[in-house]
Amino acid sequence: MCETPKSSRHLSVSSSSTSNEEFKTVSISATNTPKVLGNMTGMHRIVRDCVADIYNAVQQWNKHFLHGVEILGEIKNIKFDTLDSNEIYSESLQEYCQTLEGVLKSMSSIVNLLSSYLNTMEGLSKLLASEKEILFSTWSFDTFIQTAQFVLNSYQKEFQLKTYIKEHIAHCKDKNSVAFYFIIWVNEAYIGDDLIVQLEAMLVETGHR
């Protein structure tokens, strides 16, 4: 069941720090008051609910991303200690690597959800006379599909990158490689400002803002 965004806040990019490393995440800051719309039915309601679901999936991703930052920070510290001792592996790494595996499983579920929301929208498009039809204020239905596809593609690529990090960071043989993988996780290269802007625009278009 979809969940309407619980906050009257807008998406923004903010900086936080863990282990003295700067990273960005999709955060929310209180400014806008959401529009109050009348009861919606049919296609309008389904699309609006899908947009809310996409938003909430992104918030869940952010939670797991931050958990991953904490775990990677611990793995980095352990790897630095073992490398200082001229070792490569440490038994204490196993617990953190298993926890990171759990984070990736949760992220995989979120990517699958984003795919299902896109599939729902694509299914609805078959009921329209034209995908250029305007459902709300200015967006054509095709724009909703393109935006949902862009969001899905971005998180699919980021998930693949994070999976690669999980599979390699414990096997690094030098500190530079460990730090490099940590920074890659933190920076989320495939989740940029353009994605955040499009998410916000989709919320505005459907009256969630």
Side-chain angles (χ1 to χ4, degrees):
M1 183 69 182
C2 66
E3 180 181 358
T4 301
K6 303 181 181 64
S7 173
S8 60
R9 302 168 179 178
H10 70 85
L11 295 168
S12 63
V13 179
S14 67
S15 294
S16 304
S17 61
T18 296
S19 301
N20 297 322
E21 299 286 351
E22 293 294 323
F23 62 94
K24 68 179 181 180
T25 181
V26 178
S27 65
I28 45 180
S29 57
T31 54
N32 297 344
T33 300
K35 298 177 182 178
V36 178
L37 301 180
N39 291 330
M40 289 186 178
T41 59
M43 186 171 297
H44 292 79
R45 177 60 183 269
I46 296 173
V47 172
R48 190 170 189 265
D49 286 351
C50 277
V51 170
D53 287 335
I54 291 171
Y55 169 89
N56 288 319
V58 168
Q59 303 314 304
Q60 287 299 308
W61 173 282
N62 292 337
K63 181 183 72 174
H64 297 302
F65 158 72
L66 292 173
H67 189 198
V69 171
E70 295 176 358
I71 298 168
L72 263 292
E74 295 295 337
I75 291 175
K76 182 181 70 170
N77 292 336
I78 293 171
K79 287 294 295 181
F80 278 16
D81 289 342
T82 56
L83 290 169
D84 284 339
S85 303
N86 294 320
E87 299 176 3
I88 296 178
Y89 300 104
S90 169
E91 291 184 3
S92 59
L93 278 177
Q94 183 175 357
E95 179 181 350
Y96 287 107
C97 289
Q98 289 176 343
T99 305
L100 190 61
E101 176 74 25
V103 170
L104 267 295
K105 287 182 179 179
S106 297
M107 287 180 159
S108 177
S109 296
I110 291 169
V111 171
N112 290 337
L113 283 175
L114 291 173
S115 179
S116 71
Y117 303 145
L118 173 62
N119 289 338
T120 297
M121 288 190 178
E122 289 177 335
L124 288 175
S125 69
K126 299 176 182 178
L127 304 177
L128 293 173
S130 170
E131 291 185 0
K132 301 302 180 183
E133 180 178 335
I134 305 298
L135 291 183
F136 296 92
S137 298
T138 61
W139 280 27
S140 67
F141 193 79
D142 184 56
T143 303
F144 281 103
I145 293 178
Q146 290 176 7
T147 303
Q149 182 70 69
F150 175 62
V151 172
L152 173 61
N153 289 346
S154 298
Y155 281 93
Q156 282 177 331
K157 291 176 181 177
E158 189 62 38
F159 173 74
Q160 291 170 358
L161 182 58
K162 282 176 163 45
T163 299
Y164 182 88
I165 293 169
K166 183 265 298 182
E167 293 173 348
H168 289 81
I169 191 168
H171 303 288
C172 291
K173 298 181 180 180
D174 61 85
K175 290 184 178 181
N176 286 339
S177 296
V178 175
F180 178 70
Y181 284 129
F182 178 81
I183 291 170
I184 291 177
W185 180 287
V186 161
N187 284 339
E188 298 213 291
Y190 292 107
I191 303 174
D193 292 351
D194 52 345
L195 182 143
I196 296 169
V197 168
Q198 290 199 40
L199 279 173
E200 175 67 17
M202 190 160 56
L203 291 169
V204 171
E205 178 68 18
T206 52
H208 289 298
R209 292 283 184 257

